[in-house]
Amino acid sequence: MKMPLRFPWLIPALVPLAMASPALGDDAEATATAIFGGGCFWCVEEAFDKVEGVVATTSGFSGGHVENPTYEQVVGGGTGHAEVVKVEYEPDQVDYATLLHVFWRNIDPFAVDRQFCDQGEAYRSAIFYGSEVERELAESTRDELAERFERDIATEIASFESFYPAEEYHQDYYRKNPVRYQYYKAACGRERRLEEVWGAEAGGLGQP
């Protein structure tokens, strides 16, 4: 997904970066927010937009030490950020445990500092929790998967600190540019690897 290197025709003119979200949980009372990193945020957006009860998704960056980073800075390395998606959802329609179920089944949990064809710290898988309840759920599901697969799970689980939205052209990319998006997704081997790991569970839209 490092577009300057592999898909230069995907890059439109840059637009000013939106203001960073000040804190997790500042949404309206009827909604809650979760932060997940699963490699290319275009693909993670698509996965969560399919979940009933999810009202909005925003591509961005978390887990780093540079304020208001650009996409080029993040994928270039050194900022510490991961590509993530902020998922806004209605807790009376879908709970955090279900979101975790979907998250795990849309990543390769064994990959270190990469997801599918995208490599580097920006593409590591990560869960940024906003409460102790979320931390406990994230860690328990990770441990269950480690036992199930009898392998270490590489996914980072860390406390949420900040979220910076990515440039506007990244938002809803799979809807705005369906042909180019599908070409990227197929070339990256995402669906093939998910099926290798998860079989019929790939995508995670079935019941947990």
Side-chain angles (χ1 to χ4, degrees):
M1 191 190 150
K2 293 185 180 178
M3 298 184 294
L5 298 179
R6 291 185 286 123
F7 301 105
W9 40 265
L10 291 180
I11 306 177
L14 297 180
V15 296
L17 186 65
M19 293 299 293
S21 175
L24 192 62
D26 282 354
D27 308 276
E29 291 183 3
T31 64
T33 303
I35 303 289
F36 298 111
C40 171
F41 43 31
W42 300 341
C43 300
V44 180
E45 268 198 14
E46 182 192 22
F48 280 104
D49 280 342
K50 296 176 181 177
V51 178
E52 184 175 357
V54 169
V55 296
T57 55
T58 306
S59 289
F61 314 109
S62 287
H65 52 79
V66 175
E67 293 186 3
N68 295 308
T70 65
Y71 171 77
E72 284 74 16
Q73 286 177 309
V74 172
V75 299
T79 71
H81 291 284
E83 287 196 13
V84 300
V85 168
K86 179 172 71 172
V87 179
E88 297 175 61
Y89 65 100
E90 298 176 335
D92 60 343
Q93 298 292 318
V94 61
D95 59 18
Y96 190 72
T98 299
L99 296 180
L100 284 170
H101 176 87
V102 174
F103 165 75
W104 288 117
R105 287 152 183 81
N106 278 280
I107 67 164
D108 177 348
F110 315 120
V112 177
D113 284 342
R114 66 176 178 84
Q115 283 292 297
F116 315 104
C117 68
D118 296 315
Q119 300 186 30
E121 66 175 356
Y123 297 107
R124 69 189 185 273
S125 61
I127 300 168
F128 293 100
Y129 60 84
S131 69
E132 281 302 296
V133 171
E134 290 183 358
R135 179 188 64 78
E136 291 173 2
L137 282 169
E139 291 181 349
S140 66
T141 54
R142 176 201 60 195
D143 294 346
E144 288 170 4
L145 293 178
E147 182 176 356
R148 168 180 170 176
F149 290 105
E150 299 182 334
R151 293 184 60 180
D152 290 338
I153 302 300
T155 302
E156 174 186 3
I157 298 176
S159 176
F160 172 81
E161 295 184 1
S162 60
F163 170 81
Y164 300 100
E167 293 86 343
E168 180 59 30
Y169 71 87
H170 285 298
Q171 309 303 333
D172 293 317
Y173 190 90
Y174 76 95
R175 288 189 175 121
K176 296 174 182 174
N177 302 276
V179 175
R180 291 176 178 177
Y181 171 72
Q182 290 299 331
Y183 177 81
Y184 156 75
K185 188 176 177 181
C188 203
R190 191 179 189 102
E191 291 182 342
R192 181 173 63 253
R193 178 56 180 160
L194 288 178
E195 290 175 359
E196 288 176 357
V197 174
W198 297 105
E201 297 177 39
L205 294 181
Q207 291 297 318

